[in-house]
Amino acid sequence: IRDSAKPDHKFSQSAGSRNYLYLDPAQTDWRHISADPSIPLILAEGETRGMACTDHDLVCVAIGGVDAWRTRINGVSLPLPELDDFAWNKRNVFLVFDSDIVEKPQVQAALSGLARELGGRGATCKMVKLPKIDNIDNAGLDDFLAQKGREAFEDLPRENVPFVLPPKEPLAIARALVDSSYTLDGVRTLHFYQDCFYIWRGSHYAEVEDVAIRRSIYEFIENASYKTNEGLSRFKPNRTMTDHVIDAMKSVCFLPKDYTAPCWLNGRKGPVASEIVPCSNGLLHLPSRKLYTHSPRYFNLNSLSFEYNPKSKRPEQWEKFLNDLLGIDHSAIDALQELIGYLLTTDTRQQKIFFVVGPKRSGKGTIARVLTGLLCIDNVCSPTFASLGQNFGLAPLIGKQLA
């Protein structure tokens, strides 16, 4: 709506109305577009930009202004509810604001916030800077397409979105860092569990040192900016700032102790967690022998280092070793095999400690080496009776499947 009473404003909207996403009705396949994350989206500032994109066979979602990806609902500023109608996970999104973005810190801050929001939903966001156009001080995407065309737009470089962060809000900085560095497909991959940080390694969660988290904070803040009256200024991270952010990250990533690994997170429903054996090629459900894809929603601290192969051959060398070692004592062979089967899982319902007892050179060391190779060295520890009696002597056993 043109508002003659406000000559500095191009448009205004009715008092009390909220912001909305603009989907050009000339683009008739929005239901399919919103559901298919393989379709890249342009997100531009201004409804006319969306219409111009449709005219040039580009798919564009428009917002009413740089900050209009949020709106006030019941007095609270929230992301637009319509964003929930789109599948963002693994979708490429190109953010295109007007050509004066370089000159306006508040616009860069809005762009940064939008990228963090969509990135937290699993999208991959890139920024497209529009060049200046002759005789147009503040060129928009519609102006560029009208003068240069679609091919010229597609030739423009896609750049990473610069982070603009609030300098005195460590919680906001921590959330931005987690969204950008510790989120995969919309799922958080860093948890603060039992006073330690755990990071997802693709097949399991592993404890990560505080110094590694501090390093990521320093690098993240160093490459970010904050708004001042004169424009944007680069952060100069120090220990005090890092201490505040890492404390905030413990809150953002907190996982209560009533979660016991292995378990499913984020309300995910799947096979019984204790019936799963993580292998290098997926999550093996033992009762069904079905292999599920690895997921950061499965919180587990151990994983086997080899693949599950349902067509693998019988372990002839191992069976020969057992026959040479135990002869016709089939009950001993069965007990040892059962022991190894339990060690592959996290099942401790039997409440038993297994001992392998025998004279020297009776195969105990070979069995131990086979178990270590089977379970992976990271899942095994070798305490002594003396070390177990010392202060924190049981600490090496945390998260291990075999000692």
Side-chain angles (χ1 to χ4, degrees), residues 34-160:
S34 63
D36 187 356
S38 68
I39 300 175
L41 286 180
I42 295 170
L43 205 154
E45 169 197 0
E47 289 83 346
T48 56
R49 279 67 164 173
M51 292 186 286
C53 285
T54 302
D55 292 339
H56 288 80
D57 295 323
L58 297 168
V59 181
C60 177
V61 174
I63 54 177
V66 295
D67 288 307
W69 60 274
R70 301 180 66 88
T71 193
R72 298 194 72 81
I73 299 177
N74 296 325
V76 180
S77 179
L78 298 170
L80 294 178
E82 293 78 27
L83 293 174
D84 297 336
D85 296 333
F86 282 78
W88 298 104
N89 191 21
K90 297 184 179 180
R91 189 191 292 268
N92 290 321
V93 180
F94 305 108
L95 307 178
V96 188
F97 283 10
D98 293 350
S99 60
D100 62 347
I101 182 174
V102 177
E103 305 164 4
K104 295 183 176 181
Q106 69 274 18
V107 177
Q108 296 180 43
L111 182 75
S112 174
L114 176 57
R116 293 199 302 272
E117 174 63 31
L118 298 182
R121 296 170 184 249
T124 300
C125 295
K126 296 290 184 178
M127 175 179 65
V128 181
K129 289 183 180 178
L130 297 176
K132 295 286 187 180
I133 298 179
D134 295 339
N135 304 319
I136 301 178
D137 295 332
N138 183 20
L141 181 54
D142 52 345
D143 302 312
F144 184 88
L145 290 172
Q147 292 197 19
K148 304 293 185 180
R150 173 178 172 169
E151 290 187 5
F153 171 74
E154 292 181 338
D155 288 339
L156 294 176
R158 273 57 174 161
E159 304 176 13
N160 292 326

Side-chain angles (χ1 to χ4, degrees), residues 342 347-352 354:
Y342 271 114
D347 187 350
T348 58
R349 289 176 297 175
Q350 304 301 326
Q351 297 291 302
K352 295 291 188 296
F354 296 103

Side-chain angles (χ1 to χ4, degrees), residues 225-245:
S225 303
Y226 62 94
K227 289 192 299 182
T228 68
N229 293 332
E230 291 75 30
L232 291 180
S233 294
R234 296 292 291 270
F235 277 97
K236 296 180 180 179
N238 54 49
R239 181 171 181 175
T240 300
M241 181 185 298
T242 303
D243 285 344
H244 290 161
V245 174

Side-chain angles (χ1 to χ4, degrees), residues 141-320:
L141 181 54
D142 52 345
D143 302 312
F144 184 88
L145 290 172
Q147 292 197 19
K148 304 293 185 180
R150 173 178 172 169
E151 290 187 5
F153 171 74
E154 292 181 338
D155 288 339
L156 294 176
R158 273 57 174 161
E159 304 176 13
N160 292 326
V161 180
F163 282 101
V164 181
L165 305 171
K168 298 181 180 181
E169 297 182 24
L171 186 60
I173 295 174
R175 286 172 175 156
L177 173 56
V178 170
D179 287 344
S180 66
S181 302
Y182 299 108
T183 300
L184 179 67
D185 299 341
V187 181
R188 177 157 49 86
T189 59
L190 182 71
H191 300 283
F192 187 68
Y193 177 68
Q194 295 185 347
D195 295 327
C196 296
F197 280 104
Y198 287 86
I199 189 170
W200 195 59
R201 297 299 190 190
S203 62
H204 65 288
Y205 281 87
E207 185 177 346
V208 59
E209 299 172 316
D210 278 4
V211 66
I213 301 297
R214 286 182 176 275
R215 178 181 178 181
S216 69
I217 293 173
Y218 273 112
E219 292 176 348
F220 180 74
I221 296 177
E222 185 180 33
N223 293 312
S225 303
Y226 62 94
K227 289 192 299 182
T228 68
N229 293 332
E230 291 75 30
L232 291 180
S233 294
R234 296 292 291 270
F235 277 97
K236 296 180 180 179
N238 54 49
R239 181 171 181 175
T240 300
M241 181 185 298
T242 303
D243 285 344
H244 290 161
V245 174
I246 200 170
D247 186 64
M249 286 188 68
K250 291 177 180 179
S251 175
V252 172
C253 301
F254 179 68
L255 190 64
K257 290 184 178 180
D258 52 0
Y259 283 88
T260 302
C263 63
W264 292 101
L265 304 177
N266 299 63
R268 166 73 181 270
K269 293 183 179 180
V272 177
S274 61
E275 295 178 347
I276 290 175
V277 174
C279 303
S280 62
N281 61 336
L283 302 174
L284 174 63
H285 182 230
L286 290 176
S288 65
R289 295 296 193 270
K290 182 177 180 180
L291 196 65
Y292 293 84
T293 304
H294 283 298
S295 170
R297 288 189 174 93
Y298 182 68
F299 185 68
N300 62 301
L301 306 181
N302 311 99
S303 176
L304 302 180
S305 60
F306 52 87
E307 295 184 353
Y308 167 66
N309 180 7
K311 298 181 180 180
S312 61
K313 298 178 180 180
R314 293 182 64 87
E316 295 178 357
Q317 287 293 102
W318 172 251
E319 291 178 344
K320 182 178 182 302

